[in-house]
């Protein structure tokens, strides 16, 4: 009986030995799946909260120094924890996620603003090349225009506070496209979504992340990222004594490098990483159309309209010169009529003298009468030609004045168009708020 019991016990132990490892593996897989689902849910909510914060504040939040969840913007911290309190995220467990944000500040001057790539800072980066519209609006007079637009010249300057605060009428009423800085300068009020779009656009130029800037490690290459969220796996897979594995554990502000989002789970790695690239975030915020219009299209059209406007005013002055010349032609024709009349009178005088000479010479000088008659005929022809010249000069003057007047109206319309295009540029920036 004792021997049979030992055999039976051996069978039971053998069965347990076969079942328990499978049960442990099943439990690990099941628990890992549960933990991964919870972490992925927290990551997704954190990502949505980050994008929402970006829409509301036109910047990404700074990382928190600990899991208390309050952002720490001291210095240029790039790596820390998710600032869940700052985000208003009702998930304290989000404080256990590591969070990195791309920060590449430029200088503090106006000229440095467009190059600023610090995604955790509100900054008025919009600094386009623009042409100031003439003010006051050029007026049309008979003389050359005293308020003609200046020679086109680009001017660098911030747009200022374009947004009025009223969504129904977004453009600030204090804006004037004729000013070097068209709208009042502000600090926070001058910043809108266009400014963060510009930072994302310039940051997307780098295919390889610069040293010291946020990146994910893809093979041997560091790919730049706008922000990264890393969640620890269920286990300390690589046995480094920390919840995070590999580069996720060693990422710092000095070396902000995280593992790639697509890295597979293995015996030595079980973290979950999601990252948003600059181009991805740029597309998600619908920056393309707005930035293209505000930064390039509107100003290119405005500059083209202004150059055309200046050319039209120059041509209008040439038309005015034509009017002046036509008036001179009228005066010259009138002088021709007077000269022709004088010639006729002189010819009549010569006829009288010829008759007198013929009489006193008893017909010896009769040929002078014929010559005087020819002179009178030519003088009369000159009178007729001079009269036609006066009429033609008068018609030419009337036509030149009509063309000048019509073109003058068109130049005024061109000025109005150029001003409207500049105002539309400012309005587009305001709508980007």
């Amino acid at each position: 009986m004792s021997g049979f019991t030992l055999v039976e016990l051996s069978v039971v132990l053998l069965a347990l030995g076969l079942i328990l490892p499978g049960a442990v593996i099943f439990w690990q897989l099941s628990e890992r799946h549960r933990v991964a689902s919870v972490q992925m849910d927290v990551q997704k909510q954190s990502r949505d909260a980050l994008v929402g914060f970006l829409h509301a504040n036109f910047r990404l939040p700074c990382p928190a120094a600990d899991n208390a969840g309050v952002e720490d913007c001291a210095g240029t911290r790039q790596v820390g924890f998710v600032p869940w309190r700052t985000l208003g995220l009702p998930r304290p467990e989000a404080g256990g996620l590591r969070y990195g944000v791309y920060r590449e500040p430029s200088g503090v001057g106006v000229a440095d603003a467009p190059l600023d790539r610090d995604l955790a800072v509100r900054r008025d980066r919009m600094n386009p090349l623009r042409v100031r519209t003439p003010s006051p609006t050029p007026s049309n007079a008979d003389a050359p225009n005293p308020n003609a637009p200046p020679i086109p010249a680009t001017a660098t300057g911030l747009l200022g506070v374009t947004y009025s605060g009223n969504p129904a009428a977004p453009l600030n009423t204090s804006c004037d496209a004729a000013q070097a800085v068209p709208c009042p300068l502000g600090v926070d009020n001058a910043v809108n979504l266009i400014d963060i779009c510009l930072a994302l656009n310039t940051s997307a130029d780098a295919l390889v992340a610069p040293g010291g800037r946020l990146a994910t490690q893809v093979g041997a290459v560091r790919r730049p990222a706008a922000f990264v969220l890393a969640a620890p796996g269920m286990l300390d897979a690589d046995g480094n004594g920390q919840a995070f594995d590999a580069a996720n554990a060693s990422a710092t502000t000095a070396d902000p490098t995280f593992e790639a989002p697509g890295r597979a789970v293995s015996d030595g790695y079980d973290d979950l990483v999601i990252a948003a690239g600059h181009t991805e975030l740029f597309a998600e915020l619908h920056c393309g159309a707005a930035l293209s219009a505000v930064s390039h299209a509107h100003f290119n059209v405005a500059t083209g309209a202004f150059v055309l406007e200046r050319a039209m005013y120059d041509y209008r002055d040439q038309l005015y010169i034509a009017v002046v010349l036509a008036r001179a032609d009228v005066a010259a024709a009138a002088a021709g009529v007077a000269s022709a009349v004088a010639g006729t009178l002189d010819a009549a005088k010569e006829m009288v003298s010829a008759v007198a000479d013929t009489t006193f010479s008893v017909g010896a000088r009769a040929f002078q009468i014929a010559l005087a008659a020819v002179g009178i005929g030519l003088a009369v022809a000159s009178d007729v030609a001079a009269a036609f010249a006066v009429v033609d000069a008068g018609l030419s003057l009337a036509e030149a004045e009509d063309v000048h007047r019509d073109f003058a109206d068109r130049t005024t319309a061109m000025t109005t168009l150029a001003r409207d295009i500049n105002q539309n540029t400012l309005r587009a920036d305001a709508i980007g708020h």
Side-chain angles (χ1 to χ4, degrees):
M1 292 295 292
S2 297
F4 181 77
T5 301
L6 290 175
V7 171
E8 187 177 40
L9 183 59
S10 299
V11 172
V12 171
L13 292 175
L14 178 62
L16 289 175
L18 295 175
I19 294 173
L20 284 178
V24 170
I25 292 174
F26 176 78
W27 174 83
Q28 286 182 336
L29 292 176
S30 177
E31 187 64 15
R32 179 172 291 176
H33 178 73
R34 184 189 69 79
V35 171
S37 296
V38 173
Q39 289 180 341
M40 290 174 64
D41 184 59
V42 174
Q43 280 182 312
K44 182 180 182 303
Q45 289 191 19
S46 298
R47 187 191 188 284
D48 292 342
L50 288 171
V51 175
F53 184 93
L54 178 60
H55 272 286
N57 298 278
F58 314 122
R59 70 174 180 90
L60 287 168
C62 302
D66 51 39
N67 57 12
V70 179
E71 68 172 342
D72 181 7
C73 293
T76 53
R77 178 187 293 274
Q78 296 187 84
V79 176
F81 296 89
V82 171
W84 58 276
R85 291 185 187 275
T86 301
L87 293 172
L89 186 63
R91 297 290 297 268
E93 59 268 35
L97 304 180
R98 297 209 77 190
Y99 165 61
V101 60
Y102 192 92
R103 308 195 66 177
E104 188 178 353
S106 64
V108 296
V110 173
D112 299 313
L115 302 177
D116 184 84
R117 302 181 179 94
D118 191 343
L119 302 186
V121 170
R122 288 174 59 100
R123 187 167 183 182
D124 188 5
R125 298 178 175 89
M126 193 61 189
N127 188 12
L129 292 176
R130 58 184 296 272
V131 174
R132 296 169 58 184
T133 56
S135 183
T137 301
S139 59
N140 288 309
D142 289 338
N145 201 320
N147 294 325
I151 296 174
T154 55
T156 302
L158 297 174
L159 295 182
V161 184
T162 56
Y163 187 55
S164 65
N166 179 12
L171 182 60
N172 189 342
T173 56
S174 299
C175 293
D176 184 354
Q179 299 174 358
V181 179
C183 304
L185 286 178
V187 181
D188 289 340
N189 291 336
V191 181
N192 57 34
L193 198 63
I194 298 296
D195 297 300
I196 193 65
C197 283
L198 185 61
L200 290 170
N201 185 54
T202 55
S203 301
D205 293 341
L207 297 178
V208 178
R213 307 303 173 195
L214 184 69
T216 57
Q217 191 70 44
V218 182
V221 179
R222 297 176 68 255
R223 299 296 187 193
F227 65 82
V228 175
L229 292 169
M234 184 181 69
L235 304 173
D236 176 17
D238 61 358
N240 63 354
Q242 301 182 45
F244 292 92
D245 300 324
N248 299 330
S250 59
T252 63
T253 294
D255 182 17
T257 305
F258 288 81
E259 293 296 332
R263 179 170 175 175
V265 174
S266 63
D267 291 339
Y269 181 83
D270 65 349
D271 291 352
L272 295 175
V273 176
I274 62 173
H278 296 92
T279 303
E280 174 188 351
L281 206 54
F282 185 89
E284 187 172 347
L285 297 176
H286 305 288
C287 291
L291 191 59
S292 175
V294 175
S295 182
H296 300 292
H298 281 92
F299 284 108
N300 289 345
V301 173
T303 301
F306 187 65
V307 171
L308 179 59
E309 175 194 19
R310 175 70 194 198
M312 290 178 72
Y313 274 98
D314 290 342
Y315 184 63
R316 193 195 85 108
D317 289 342
Q318 294 179 31
L319 291 177
Y320 177 72
I321 294 173
V323 170
V324 174
L325 291 175
R327 290 173 182 169
D329 288 342
V330 170
V337 170
S339 178
V341 171
T344 301
L345 294 176
D346 186 64
K349 181 195 74 167
E350 291 297 328
M351 175 61 76
V352 172
S353 296
V355 171
D357 286 347
T358 300
T359 300
F360 284 114
S361 65
V362 191
R365 295 185 179 182
F367 68 91
Q368 290 183 348
I369 296 176
L371 294 175
V374 172
I376 290 174
L378 293 175
V380 171
S382 295
D383 290 342
V384 173
F388 276 114
V390 169
V391 173
D392 184 63
L395 293 175
S396 296
L397 174 60
E399 183 178 1
E401 289 177 338
D402 288 342
V403 172
H404 174 267
R405 190 178 303 109
D406 177 69
F407 199 81
D409 293 338
R410 296 176 188 275
T411 54
T412 301
M414 193 68 225
T415 295
T416 302
L417 177 61
R419 290 180 64 84
D420 287 346
I421 292 172
N422 265 290
Q423 289 294 107
N424 287 338
T425 300
L426 302 178
R427 187 174 292 105
D429 185 77
I431 293 174
H433 182 87

